[in-house]
Amino acid sequence: MRTVLMVAEKPSLAQSIAKILSKGNCSSRKGLNGACSVHEYTGNFQGQNVRFKMTSVCGHVMTLDFIGKYNNWDKVDPAELFSKAPTEKKEATPKLNMVKYLQVEARGCDYVVLWLDCDKEGENICFEVLDAIQPVMNKGSVRERTVYRAKFSSITDTDIWNAMNHLGEPNRNEALSVDARQELDLRIGCAFTRFQTKYFQGKYGNLDSSLISFGPCQTPTLGFCVERHDKIQSFKPETYWVLQAKVFKGKDSPLTLDWNRVRVFDREVSQMFLNLAKTSREAKVESVSKKEKTKQRPQALNTVEMLRVASSALGMGPQHAMQIAERLYTQGYISYPRTETTHYPENFDLKGTLKQQSNNGFWAEEVKGLLSSGLNRPRKGNDAGDHPPITPMRAASEAELGTDGWRLYEYITRHFIATVSQDCKYLQTTIEFSVGAESFSCSGKTLISPGYTAVMPWQGIPLEEAMPACEHGDTFTVDEIKLVEKQTNPPDYLTEAELITLMEKHGIGTDASIPVHINNICQRNYVTVETGRKLKPTNLGIVLVHGYYKIDAELVLPTIRSAVEKQLNLIALGKANYQQVLQHTLDIFKRKFHYFVDSITSMDELMEVSFSPIAATGKPMSRCGKCHRFMKYIQAKPSRLHCSHCDETYSLPQNGAIKLYKELHCPLDDFELVLWTSGARGKSYPLCPYCFGNPPFRDMKKGMGCNECTHPSCQHSLNSLGIGQCVECDSGVLVLDPTSGPKWRMACNKCNVVVHFFEHAHRVQVAPESCNACDASLVAVDFNKTRTPLPAGETQHTGCVFCDPVFQDLVELKHATMRHAMHRGGGARRGGRGRGRGRRGNPKKPKDKMAALAAYFGVSPRAPWSVDGSRGAGLEQFT
């Protein structure tokens, strides 16, 4: 029997599709990477009985990056990134082992059906999957087709079976357009970002941003926000005057009239009009007009409109709204949420879709009314040729979806019902008055038929007081007429909804990437989100945009990126050559980059006005090992130490607090040590500011503190304070935290495992001896007489924290609370405290505590942590 491998974009999608195609008769098992499952069943494919295997990836399998040496910011000229630096495809999430997983499942398969999302990114992932699996699949005959592509827009039985019965092929051109965008964004973004970041972070101390990034889409997005900010700052209010009249007839309440001239900007002229109007105490009705008007129902919903409404009406950021929409889609509640189309195809089952909503109490009455009276054909919209508009695919309740999920689903459903409802109709009555020589008017609306506003009440016609019954020639008494002084107001800061509109209008980003670009400028401290989801640029955002304008306005204007997007779309349509577009665009930006580097002083002049020089920033902290003067601690991101005398800056671990460490010095370079801590419930370790960025030993990497230092004799190093290998991660060592008393603890120098022990002990030290059972270093503990938990009132004991029964109840394992993922300068390194005893092979079986800790994590107890079991890893370099 032949085998068909089917691959979806997410595990939940694979499960839903397999359930539909197998009619619920499939067996499931976990894949080797633990994140994906495999659903198996038998069925018919291309006229033959086959075995189906349905699995998934988790988004992109591969990501584009420069080869190793070009990722070193210090050794590579950013200009080389435009052409000289080679790129390679790397696994997007190495921990998932996705390539190996796909190959294991594809081995021996005869056909593959690709169920990736039906957009350009999905097409790109199709070819990432094919590159991984085709080398291990069975080779068919030359003429036999083995690769199929399923096209679908929703997770419904009808749509999935329709896709299975009309399989196509993956689109190479669309995949290439994504490859081109990835490479352009990587090369252009990295070159500008590296140059800017290194240039400005070395000069200014309060930028408060760990990365001064540039992006071909991100920067024009920021440009829109700063442009509005500049209009607000340059706005000069103007005074104007308005004539305001109130009239009444009989016992009716007064009517406020609108002046037909609207406003006048000259005080004397407005006074003249007031005097002319005051010549009469009566307002004469010149005309009464009544006109039936229509408020059109909305067009079908696309991604951009959904994001606009989510931000302005639901208070959800675009990124958050898109994540919720994707979850609703994968669970089968709505159709595919990434679409530019606002027009339903002729064969779309509008009635069937509407009928599913007939039992929901929120809109059942309107839905049943439509089903009995007949649906109104949706307005003609734009057919972008991608997916149908966003549509509810099955009924749901708030209990099923959660608060935010329900709010977005409710809007999508109400919008859909509105598209097949009647237009809203109302009667507008306008009365024209003359008061003296001046003309005034008032108007009111009376609802005739609510139409679609019954289901979208926020767009309804507001209730107004009825207009007085009158006709031409009637007179009203003037109650008062006066001159009102007002001022023009500045525009407000851009809202997310307005920014999305501008990005769509100018072709910046796609329906899928717009939320990402907006999120980026927020995360990088270029704008802040204010009340009402308004985007207010920070000093850094303003200075960057003004700097780009001074040097090269095209770097921030939307025109050049819009032109690039058009070229990328031509690649997707097969009308432009991938290599030619790539090379042409890179050549343009390379020239712009060189000009930008030569002109950077223009931006620097703006920076000088807004930010403080690094030497004038921060507070004195620890002494420099070269000049022995105090270095300043700069807290603004990225936190660092700066010696103004040597004009040197030293990087520090991020996302934690830094303080002086007992005025102790590094034995290698005489720099005063500092202590990094992630908080009272987290972990902490000392570090040498110089060694942190300049590893002293061959087996150390940048970003390592004293708890990973392989110095053979320093009292702060791993060699002196390391106790045993971490019971959870592969490469970590549990290191005593000497600052933690009286609540003593040891923490893994790689992951967030923390072991609390010997609370209230007077002293805890790592002994030179090691445990015969597990090879961990012994620990010497000294308690006060009044608080000792040791048997027979003993105050001192030396033993293994894992094996010694005396310590059995004095050890507690926890996980550290981290503010964010801890910033690491170097990659993972298999530990090496350098204190090995020459033991190789398997250690003796550990006793209860080691086994208990290991069992807690479901892992096996491990051997000593030294790489080779020999004394002094890195010792030969030191000596």
Side-chain angles (χ1 to χ4, degrees), residues 369-566:
L370 283 170
L371 290 170
S372 60
S373 63
L375 278 64
N376 192 17
R377 188 71 201 162
R379 286 170 56 196
K380 187 171 178 60
N382 170 52
D383 185 358
D386 48 359
H387 288 273
I390 303 168
T391 310
M393 300 314 296
R394 63 185 173 102
S397 66
E398 185 172 358
E400 293 173 69
L401 305 182
T403 304
D404 282 353
W406 167 253
R407 289 166 67 222
L408 189 60
Y409 173 84
E410 181 185 8
Y411 173 74
I412 291 167
T413 305
R414 287 184 181 275
H415 190 109
F416 167 70
I417 298 169
T419 63
V420 294
S421 300
Q422 298 295 323
D423 291 339
C424 172
K425 293 180 180 177
Y426 62 94
L427 185 69
Q428 181 160 305
T429 304
T430 304
I431 307 173
E432 296 285 344
F433 292 88
S434 62
V435 182
E438 286 307 291
S439 298
F440 295 83
S441 65
C442 69
S443 61
K445 298 170 184 173
T446 308
L447 185 66
I448 299 172
S449 168
Y452 80 92
T453 63
V455 77
M456 295 178 83
W458 59 89
Q459 291 195 17
I461 303 300
L463 289 171
E464 297 177 352
E465 285 190 32
M467 299 292 287
C470 60
E471 56 186 35
H472 175 69
D474 287 357
T475 58
F476 285 64
T477 303
V478 177
D479 184 34
E480 70 167 341
I481 186 163
K482 62 182 179 180
L483 204 60
V484 178
E485 183 179 304
K486 296 185 178 182
Q487 280 195 329
T488 55
N489 294 316
D492 213 335
Y493 283 104
L494 276 182
T495 62
E496 284 174 333
E498 292 169 329
L499 180 57
I500 291 167
T501 302
L502 285 170
M503 293 174 74
E504 182 191 33
K505 177 183 174 183
H506 292 281
I508 300 300
T510 63
D511 52 2
S513 66
I514 282 173
V516 177
H517 301 315
I518 296 175
N519 188 58
N520 282 344
I521 64 172
C522 297
Q523 293 289 324
R524 287 164 188 175
N525 197 35
Y526 296 157
V527 300
T528 56
V529 182
E530 306 288 311
T531 307
R533 302 212 66 85
K534 295 184 180 76
L535 301 170
K536 184 178 180 181
T538 61
N539 265 353
L540 180 57
I542 294 164
V543 169
L544 282 175
V545 169
H546 288 175
Y548 294 134
Y549 271 117
K550 280 186 76 174
I551 297 172
D552 182 354
E554 283 192 337
L555 291 174
V556 73
L557 289 172
T559 46
I560 193 165
R561 182 60 191 195
S562 181
V564 171
E565 289 288 348
K566 287 175 184 173

Side-chain angles (χ1 to χ4, degrees), residues 805-866:
V806 174
F807 290 157
Q808 184 77 30
D809 298 320
L810 304 180
V811 181
E812 179 189 4
L813 186 144
K814 289 185 178 181
H815 284 77
T817 302
M818 309 296 281
R819 298 186 188 181
H820 301 282
M822 190 167 64
H823 170 78
R824 303 306 302 245
R829 174 182 65 90
R830 185 86 183 166
R833 182 179 148 220
R835 200 186 172 115
R837 311 298 191 280
R839 296 184 179 87
R840 295 180 179 272
N842 296 323
K844 296 179 182 178
K845 184 178 179 181
K847 295 184 182 174
D848 293 346
K849 181 56 75 170
M850 182 68 169
L853 284 170
Y856 179 86
F857 290 104
V859 294
S860 302
R862 276 185 281 269
W865 63 89
S866 180

Side-chain angles (χ1 to χ4, degrees), residues 205-221:
N206 56 340
L207 293 176
D208 200 25
S209 180
S210 54
L211 202 69
I212 304 174
S213 62
F214 174 92
C217 286
Q218 169 200 297
T219 303
T221 302

Side-chain angles (χ1 to χ4, degrees), residues 111-362:
Y111 307 98
V112 60
V113 180
L114 299 160
W115 290 85
L116 285 309
D117 286 354
C118 299
D119 57 11
K120 290 171 187 170
E121 295 289 338
E123 296 302 322
N124 191 261
I125 299 172
C126 281
F127 287 93
E128 291 175 355
V129 171
L130 290 176
D131 288 343
I133 67 174
Q134 281 186 316
V136 300
M137 287 178 63
N138 291 342
K139 307 296 180 190
S141 63
V142 177
R143 294 183 179 179
E144 187 178 21
R145 183 178 163 198
T146 58
V147 177
Y148 297 85
R149 175 75 162 108
K151 294 278 186 178
F152 58 102
S153 296
S154 63
I155 314 301
T156 60
D157 291 19
T158 305
D159 216 14
I160 295 301
W161 275 110
N162 187 54
M164 191 66 180
N165 293 329
H166 298 87
L167 295 172
E169 295 181 2
N171 189 319
R172 170 69 72 176
N173 290 326
E174 288 191 357
L176 283 174
S177 74
V178 174
D179 282 339
R181 179 183 281 108
Q182 286 178 349
E183 186 161 349
L184 288 174
D185 289 350
L186 176 72
R187 291 186 182 278
I188 296 166
C190 284
F192 278 91
T193 297
R194 290 186 190 184
F195 174 72
Q196 288 179 170
T197 303
K198 288 184 69 178
Y199 186 88
F200 290 118
Q201 280 188 353
K203 294 190 71 174
Y204 303 101
N206 56 340
L207 293 176
D208 200 25
S209 180
S210 54
L211 202 69
I212 304 174
S213 62
F214 174 92
C217 286
Q218 169 200 297
T219 303
T221 302
L222 175 61
F224 291 130
C225 299
V226 175
E227 183 183 13
R228 177 62 65 88
H229 168 83
D230 291 343
K231 285 180 180 176
I232 294 169
Q233 295 301 308
S234 61
F235 183 82
K236 292 180 179 176
E238 288 186 82
T239 304
Y240 65 91
W241 290 265
V242 176
L243 274 189
Q244 195 176 86
K246 282 186 180 180
V247 300
F248 66 93
K249 185 179 183 182
K251 294 183 179 180
D252 292 342
S253 56
L255 211 61
T256 301
L257 308 184
D258 297 320
W259 190 25
N260 285 6
R261 295 184 192 274
V262 184
R263 60 185 180 179
V264 172
F265 285 88
D266 189 298
R267 176 76 174 80
E268 292 181 0
V269 172
S270 61
Q271 185 64 48
M272 178 193 71
F273 287 132
L274 176 65
N275 295 338
L276 289 172
K278 278 187 171 180
T279 59
S280 174
R281 295 300 301 166
E282 288 187 340
K284 183 181 177 183
V285 176
E286 297 294 337
S287 67
V288 179
S289 64
K290 295 189 177 184
K291 190 173 183 181
E292 187 177 303
K293 291 198 169 185
T294 299
K295 190 172 185 179
Q296 279 193 317
R297 64 198 181 279
Q299 287 185 328
L301 186 65
N302 66 3
T303 306
V304 168
E305 181 62 20
M306 180 190 73
L307 295 176
R308 267 197 291 254
V309 172
S311 176
S312 60
L314 305 181
M316 295 181 192
Q319 184 94 331
H320 180 52
M322 203 68 221
Q323 288 168 349
I324 292 171
E326 286 174 352
R327 176 168 60 82
L328 293 175
Y329 161 67
T330 56
Q331 292 173 343
Y333 290 106
I334 64 172
S335 62
Y336 192 61
R338 292 195 181 108
T339 177
E340 298 175 13
T341 295
T342 56
H343 178 75
Y344 282 107
E346 296 300 319
N347 61 351
F348 193 90
D349 184 11
L350 294 167
K351 191 171 184 178
T353 304
L354 186 64
K355 198 177 287 185
Q356 292 179 333
Q357 302 296 333
S358 58
N359 293 321
N360 191 305
F362 289 99

